[in-house]
Amino acid sequence: MLSIKNNLFKANSDDSIKKGEAILGGAVIGAGVGAVGGAIYGYNQAQNEIQKVPIESVTLTYKEPMYETKEIGKIPKDQYVRTWFGWYSSNVDFTPSDPVYEKVPVKDANGNVVYKEVTKTFTDHGKPIVNYYTQQVKEPVFQGYSQNIITDYDYDCYYHEHYDGTMHEHCKEEVRGYWVRFYPKVDYKIIDTYQVPTVKFEHGVDVAGKVMTGMAIGAGLGAVLGGVIGAVVHSISQMEKSKNENNK
């Protein structure tokens, strides 16, 4: 009789542990899903409030440098050199022939950067706040070129019959040639600076706060619902298990 009671107590204890694990697992999953859903809800709620804020506009006029695409230098052409000519620098044509193009600031006769006037209107919900940040005018300076050599391998394979009648593959690696590729080396020199406006519209809606609140509420509701679902799923599985054991 004592043995039966011990086994019964152990079975109930194990079932309680598994049920607790099921509830905890469901709560964790529910909290995660609820947090994501709550964050989305909070963000959408914030956007709806922003849409109710009156639309305002601000028109700004400022200067931007003018650019043109120009050739700043030349580099040799990419080429392939075969091994049977021998690997010597005399077999590579180092004559600079491929032009290198870059966007270059336009300058006047005195060497000053030429600017164009830009007028732009910024529109959004809220009160416009205008700030300016410094932008650099950079001129590309050609500094020659670098080169990269890539070995082109060829594999000569043949089959050899072993003493036991099996065929074995033997491969010999040979250098077939070399790819020689050239790349321009370009530095950029700062020759002037100018001011560029940035506009931020203050709408008074705390988007981050609403997202965080939505996440917290969603996580809490999700954890409760997930725990309940975990308990229900566990109970159903136990009923199915008991039913199967009784049918045996």
Side-chain angles (χ1 to χ4, degrees):
M1 181 66 69
L2 181 60
S3 176
I4 294 175
K5 288 184 177 180
N6 287 337
N7 290 336
L8 182 62
F9 177 78
K10 181 179 180 182
N12 291 334
S13 177
D14 290 343
D15 181 65
S16 298
I17 293 174
K18 291 180 180 179
K19 184 176 181 179
E21 291 176 347
I23 294 173
L24 179 60
V28 171
I29 295 174
V33 174
V36 174
I40 295 173
Y41 175 79
Y43 177 80
N44 290 335
Q45 189 180 38
Q47 293 303 313
N48 291 334
E49 291 189 17
I50 292 173
Q51 295 302 313
K52 298 176 183 178
V53 178
I55 295 177
E56 295 191 32
S57 297
V58 60
T59 300
L60 303 174
T61 299
Y62 54 99
K63 294 181 179 180
E64 285 185 349
M66 297 181 63
Y67 288 89
E68 60 180 344
T69 301
K70 292 179 61 176
E71 178 185 322
I72 63 171
K74 295 180 183 292
I75 62 174
K77 288 182 177 294
D78 292 342
Q79 50 203 280
Y80 184 81
V81 178
R82 295 189 179 276
T83 53
W84 53 74
F85 289 126
W87 176 239
Y88 303 102
S89 60
S90 59
N91 293 320
V92 180
D93 185 4
F94 289 96
T95 303
S97 55
D98 279 3
V100 178
Y101 295 98
E102 286 282 340
K103 287 179 63 177
V104 179
V106 178
K107 297 180 181 179
D108 59 20
N110 296 322
N112 299 317
V113 177
V114 177
Y115 288 86
K116 61 182 178 180
E117 194 172 79
V118 178
T119 300
K120 188 174 180 180
T121 300
F122 302 84
T123 303
D124 207 339
H125 294 272
K127 180 179 178 58
I129 307 297
V130 181
N131 289 302
Y132 287 85
Y133 67 94
T134 302
Q135 186 79 340
Q136 298 174 338
V137 182
K138 296 181 179 181
E139 183 178 45
V141 180
F142 183 66
Q143 299 287 357
Y145 59 85
S146 60
Q147 68 182 53
N148 185 28
I149 302 171
I150 303 173
T151 306
D152 181 23
Y153 291 100
D154 188 20
Y155 296 91
D156 183 18
C157 298
Y158 64 94
Y159 288 91
H160 172 72
E161 185 176 358
H162 210 253
Y163 69 91
D164 58 359
T166 59
M167 300 298 292
H168 292 261
E169 183 181 17
H170 296 270
C171 292
K172 181 180 179 182
E173 182 184 272
E174 294 182 351
V175 177
R176 181 164 52 186
Y178 300 90
W179 285 104
V180 186
R181 294 192 169 96
F182 298 90
Y183 304 92
K185 294 166 63 177
V186 181
D187 289 337
Y188 293 89
K189 180 175 63 175
I190 300 173
I191 59 175
D192 203 1
T193 59
Y194 62 101
Q195 298 296 306
V196 178
T198 177
V199 181
K200 180 181 179 181
F201 287 83
E202 293 290 348
H203 43 65
V205 179
D206 185 8
V207 178
K210 289 187 176 298
V211 170
M212 295 300 295
T213 301
M215 286 181 64
I217 296 174
L221 294 176
V224 173
L225 183 59
V228 172
I229 293 175
V232 171
V233 170
H234 175 75
S235 298
I236 293 174
S237 65
Q238 289 298 106
M239 291 174 61
E240 289 293 330
K241 181 180 178 181
S242 178
K243 182 179 178 181
N244 292 334
E245 289 178 352
N246 292 332
N247 291 333
K248 290 182 179 180

